[in-house]
Amino acid sequence: MLLILLTVVFFVLRVIPGDPITALFEGRASPDVIAATRHALGLDKPYWEQYLIYLGQVFSGNLGTSIGEYYRGQSVLAVVLQRLPATIELAVGGMIVASLVGVTAGIIGGINRDKPTDVAVRLYGTIIFVVPIFWLGQILQLVFAVWLGWLLPRVDSQDWTFLRMLLDSILSTRF
C-alpha cells in the first residue's frame, strides 16, 4: 500500500501544471540558474530514473531537502519530526473528544430511542458527518476568534491554552 501511495504521489506531482523551480525563484532567475537548479535536484532526468532515485531515498530515510518558503534548506525528515509531537497531541486529543462525544451521544440516543432526543442525536450525527471539516473549522474560527474574541485568529506554539487545545481537538476529528 505504501508503494502505491508513493507512486501515485510521485507521478501526480509530476503531471500537475506548474514548475517548482520557477516557483522557487518566483520567476526572477535566469534560464541558466533554473537549468543548474533543475540539474542539481535531478529534475532533468527521465521520470523513471527520478522515480527510482526517489524510492531509494525514501526507503533509506532521506526525504530530501525542503525548497519551501519557511523551511528552505532544512531536511524534510527533520521538519516532519519537529512537528510530530504537535501532530500526535492533536490526534490523541481529537480521538478523546470524538470518543467522549460519540459514546455519550450513543448512550443518550439509546436510552431515548425514537424520542425527540434520539432524533436530535441522529440529526447531529448526520450533520457532523456531511459538513466539510475545513468549512467547519473556518466557521468556528470566525465565531470564537473574530466574533466572540475568545481566541486569537493565529495560534503560536507558545500560545496554547486548554480552550485552544480543545478547539483544535474538536476540529481534528469527526464525532
Side-chain angles (χ1 to χ4, degrees):
M1 187 59 134
L2 179 62
L3 186 60
I4 293 170
L5 180 65
L6 289 172
T7 303
V8 168
V9 167
F10 178 85
F11 285 106
V12 165
L13 288 175
R14 295 306 186 273
V15 299
I16 60 174
D19 180 19
I21 304 305
T22 305
L24 174 66
F25 292 114
E26 299 173 348
R28 292 183 282 206
S30 70
D32 293 337
V33 171
I34 290 176
T37 305
R38 221 182 274 287
H39 179 72
L41 295 175
L43 297 175
D44 58 344
K45 298 178 181 175
Y47 284 160
W48 65 268
E49 191 174 345
Q50 290 180 36
Y51 178 68
L52 292 177
I53 292 169
Y54 168 72
L55 285 181
Q57 289 179 340
V58 165
F59 287 120
S60 68
N62 178 9
L63 300 181
T65 305
S66 176
I67 62 171
E69 181 178 346
Y70 298 109
Y71 303 106
R72 186 169 289 150
Q74 293 184 26
S75 163
V76 172
L77 183 60
V79 172
V80 169
L81 292 176
Q82 178 186 8
R83 301 290 189 222
L84 190 60
T87 303
I88 292 170
E89 183 178 304
L90 282 173
V92 170
M95 285 188 274
I96 290 170
V97 169
S99 298
L100 291 174
V101 172
V103 169
T104 304
I107 291 171
I108 291 170
I111 291 172
N112 300 300
R113 187 176 176 121
D114 294 329
K115 293 181 181 169
T117 308
D118 179 40
V119 173
V121 167
R122 284 187 278 162
L123 180 64
Y124 165 77
T126 302
I127 290 172
I128 203 72
F129 182 72
V130 299
V131 171
I133 197 70
F134 62 87
W135 182 81
L136 178 63
Q138 290 177 342
I139 295 300
L140 289 175
Q141 282 181 345
L142 180 67
V143 170
F144 289 107
V146 178
W147 291 346
L148 297 175
W150 293 359
L151 303 173
L152 296 174
R154 181 166 184 228
V155 178
D156 294 327
S157 59
Q158 295 85 12
D159 229 5
W160 287 101
T161 63
F162 177 73
L163 185 58
R164 289 170 202 238
M165 288 176 47
L166 180 63
L167 185 60
D168 275 348
S169 296
I170 290 170
L171 293 177
S172 68
T173 187
R174 292 192 179 253
F175 38 80

